[in-house]
Amino acid sequence: MAYTTETTPSLQVAELDDSPEKIFLPPTDPNAEIIEIPGYTLVYLNGACPRTYRVYKAHSMIGVIFQYITHWSNAMDQIRYAQAEEAAVGLDDFMKVAKKSRVTDKAIAA
């Protein structure tokens, strides 16, 4: 499978049998499947079950969450969430704690 980059650096095209398939569509792409929830934008990435969504907060991607038939997961805290918003907030909270921990570790090392 060959990958090429078009005019947008974050947009890649997988070339299979002369029929290009766009992957990693940015949230601004009109073909992207998007779920808007307060504070977050989810962009469908792939998968049947679980469906995988990239999570954006403002204009930055913070990670991925997964939609299963019965629940949502962010694969960071191993908690099953009833709603996408809860999984996104859990992911965001986890990333904030990880960032603070990394900053504290650097301060201790200094």
Side-chain angles (χ1 to χ4, degrees):
M1 181 185 309
Y3 292 94
T4 60
T5 303
E6 290 185 348
T7 57
T8 306
S10 63
L11 178 64
Q12 296 179 350
V13 177
E15 295 177 3
L16 301 171
D17 303 324
D18 297 328
S19 58
E21 174 190 354
K22 293 182 180 181
I23 58 173
F24 298 122
L25 295 174
T28 54
D29 189 292
N31 296 315
E33 181 183 323
I34 295 175
I35 299 174
E36 293 284 346
I37 55 178
Y40 304 95
T41 302
L42 309 182
V43 181
Y44 174 68
L45 183 59
N46 64 19
C49 187
R51 290 176 60 109
T52 306
Y53 290 85
R54 286 178 286 138
V55 179
Y56 289 85
K57 184 176 182 180
H59 297 290
S60 298
M61 184 180 134
I62 61 171
V64 296
I65 63 175
F66 308 94
Q67 180 188 28
Y68 294 86
I69 293 171
T70 58
H71 66 280
W72 289 80
S73 166
N74 62 32
M76 299 301 283
D77 56 18
Q78 304 301 314
I79 296 173
R80 292 181 174 197
Y81 295 96
Q83 302 293 325
E85 181 177 10
E86 295 167 345
V89 169
L91 173 65
D92 194 16
D93 289 347
F94 182 91
M95 298 306 285
K96 287 175 187 173
V97 169
K99 182 178 179 181
K100 286 179 185 177
S101 175
R102 190 176 75 232
V103 169
T104 302
D105 289 346
K106 286 182 181 179
I108 291 171

